[in-house]
Amino acid sequence: MKILNSEILSNERYGPDIYKMEIFAPHIVKNVGAGQFVNIRCCSPDKRDPLLRRPFSVFDVEKKFNVFSILYRVRGKGTRYMSELKKGDTVNMAGPLGKPVEPVSLKGNLLLIGGGMGIAPLNLISRIAADEGKKVSVLAGFKDSSLLMWERDLMRMGVKYRMFSEDGSWGQQGLVCDHILDEPKVLRDHDIFCCGPVEMLKVLQRELEREDIRATAILEEKMGCGIGVCNGCVVKVKKKDGIDYLRVCREGPAFELSEVIFD
Amino acid sequence: MTDRLFKWEKENEKDVPGEERSSRKPDMSVEIGRIGLKNPLVACSGTFSHGEEHSNFYDISVLGAVTTKSYSLKPRKGNPPPRICETPAGMLNSIGLQNDGIDVFIKSHLAQMKKDGAGIILSIFGKDSEEFKKVALRILDVKADIIAVELNLSCPNVEKDGTSFCAFPEEVKKVVDAVVSMLDIPVIAKLSPNHDNIIQSAEAAKQAGAEAISLINTAVGMAVDVETYRPLLGNITGGLSGPAIKPIALAKTYILARENILPVIGMGGIFDYRDVLEFMIAGASAVGLGTVNLIEYDAGEKILLDLEDYLVKKNINNIRHFTGRIRI
Ligand SMILES: Cc1cc2nc3c(=O)[nH]c(=O)nc-3n(C[C@H](O)[C@H](O)[C@H](O)COP(=O)(O)OP(=O)(O)OC[C@H]3O[C@@H](n4cnc5c(N)ncnc54)[C@H](O)[C@@H]3O)c2cc1C
Ligand SMILES: Cc1cc2nc3c(=O)[nH]c(=O)nc-3n(C[C@H](O)[C@H](O)[C@H](O)COP(=O)(O)O)c2cc1C
Ligand code: FES
C-alpha cells in the first residue's frame, strides 16, 4: 500500500448519479487483487472536509495502460466532490487495501451475485477470473435500470448474466434473491461471491444455508483509517469459541457468508 | 496564575537560547520529566496500532515516540458496530478498547515494534487499580524495551455514558500508585476532557508518582439518524476526536500546564505543524498525533519536517523554546 497522487484519465457518467472514474496508477494495477479497494481523499488538498477518506472498490483494471477504474454513486459530500473532478485532475488515494479474495477455486466456475452498487467489486473478480479462463456467471438485482451500462461491460468480458430489477425496466422483474435457488445443482458446482445491501445478503445467507451451500460475501462498513489501525470497520463474525469482531479493511472485505452475523 | 506562567517562561529562557541566530539543524529534543524524546511528536494511542501499518508510509523511528493501543489484562472484543461516524471537522468512535490482551502484545507485537525503532510508550487499561497492577506485573520483564507506560484513565467507551476513572481524582491516585509501585519506569496518566477536575486529577497523579499527564482523550459525543431515530454508533455514545476538539484540548492543556504540576503531552485535533506550535505555546512539552494518522498516513514525518523548516526559517534553534511561551 502506498499514498498516491494519481491522474484522472476520465470521470464519466455511467448512469443517473453514477460515475466511472479511470485513474492512471501503475502501483495499483500491478498490485491489486480481487476484492481490494482504494481509500480516497474527497476534498482539495488544502481542505479537510470531509475529514475521513472514502473507500471504493477497484472496479476494473487495464493492465496494458496501467489504468484502473472505480464505479461510484453520488451519495454525499465526498462523492459529490469526486463527481466534479475532471480529466487531468489528480486524486489522493491509498491502496490497494484489504485482503485480496482467496485464489479460487477447485470448482473452476464462478457465480457472482450482486445487488446495486455491490456489483463494483464483483466486476473485478469477474475480470480476473475471466482472464484466467474460468467460466463466470452473474446474477444481479437492481431497483431500476440506472446501472444498465454494466451489461455492456459484462458482454465484453464474455460473461453469462441474468438481471433483475424491481421496477421491471431491466431484465426480469423481481428480486435476485427470489431466483437464487432456481437451480440448486448449478449453485453447487460454482464458487459463489456476493456483494450488495445487507438486506439482500441476509436473505442469501438464509437461502444458501438451507441448501448447505457456501459463499463468500464482500462487505462494507464505515471506515476510520482503511489500513487496519483503528478497529473502526468491524463486522460481527461467528467463530468456534463465540463471536469476534473482524476488520473489513484488514481481515476483509471478503468473509464467509455463513459466518457473518447481521444484527 | 499569570505569575506562575511567566516564572516558567523565564526558566525556559534561561535554558534555551531560543532566538539566537543559527543556521544549524534545530534541536528538536524535549524532556518530559525523566522521559527524553528526540522530538515532541508522539503517536497517540489507538490511532497507530503498533506502527506496523504506518511503517509502509515512512520510517516511524523519526517520531519522538509511538504509543501502543491500550492493552488490558484479558483480550477485549470491543463494542458492536457501527463504531465510526464522521461529524463536522471530526469523527466519533466507539471502539471500546478492542485488544488482544497484554500477553499477546508482549509475545507477538513488541519485537516488531522494537525493530521499527521508535521509542515505545505502552498504553494500558484495567477495570480497577488491582487489574492495572496485574497488567503492570506482566510488563516487568520487558520494561527495558519501553520508555514509559501510559495509563488510559479516560476512555469514554467502556463505562456507561462515557464515565471514566479520571472522573474521580482519588481513583486516579490509586491506579497510578498501583502501577508506580510495580514498575520503576516513567508513568504517564492520560486524562479526559469530560470531567471538570483535570487539576485535581493531575495533582493526584503527581502525588502517586506519575511523570507526566497526557490529555485529552476523546470528548463524549453522539450522532442520531433522523430517518430511523437511531443513534449512528452501535454503542449509542462515542468519543469525538479531530480538529473539532482542538480548541477544547488547547484550553485544557493551557489550564493544566500553567499550574506547573507535571509536564503535559497535549493532543486533540493536531493536523499540522502550526497546531503543534499552538499546543506547545499553550504549555505542552510534547504533543500527540491522533486522528490525523487515520487520514494522512505519513503525517508524522511531514509534520516533523515542517516543524524543522519553520524553526530554521525563524532562526529558532530549539523546539523547547515554545513551551509555555503564551503571552497573556
Ligand atoms: C470497502 C468499501 C468499498 C466500497 N466501494 C464502493 C464502490 O465501489 N462504489 C460506491 O459507490 N461506493 C462504495 N462504497 C461506499 C462509499 O465508500 C460511500 O458511498 C462513500 O463513502 C460515501 O461518501 P459521501 O461523502 O459521498 O457520503 P456521506 O456524506 O458520507 O454519506 C451520505 C449518505 O450516504 C450514506 N452512506 C455512506 N456510506 C455508505 C455506504 N458505505 N453504504 C451505504 N450508504 C452509505 C450515509 O449514511 C449518508 O446517508 C464502499 C464502501 C466500503 C466500505
Ligand atoms: C479510533 C480511535 C481509537 C482510540 N483509542 C484509544 C485508546 O485505545 N487509548 C487511548 O488512551 N486513547 C485512544 N484514543 C484517543 C486518542 O489517543 C487521542 O487522545 C484523541 O483521539 C485526541 O486526539 P486527536 O484529536 O488527534 O485524535 C483513540 C482515538 C481514536 C480516534
Ligand atoms: S477502518 Fe480502521 S481498522 Fe478498518
Side-chain angles (χ1 to χ4, degrees), chain B residues 32-35 149 151 153 172-173 176-177 180 185-190 201-214 261-263:
Chain B
I32 311 156
R34 282 184 291 156
I35 310 166
V149 170
L151 311 181
L153 305 171
V172 171
K173 192 163 171 204
V176 176
D177 195 50
V180 168
I185 51 175
V187 168
I188 303 166
K190 183 162 176 185
S201 289
E203 287 281 10
K206 182 182 182 178
Q207 280 170 24
E211 200 76 26
I213 299 293
S214 56
I261 300 167
L262 284 172

Side-chain angles (χ1 to χ4, degrees), chain A residues 66-81:
Chain A
N66 278 322
V67 173
F68 81 97
S69 57
I70 56 173
L71 187 71
Y72 63 97
R73 169 169 273 147
V74 175
R75 286 192 192 275
K77 215 181 256 174
T79 43
R80 169 129 355 257
Y81 169 83

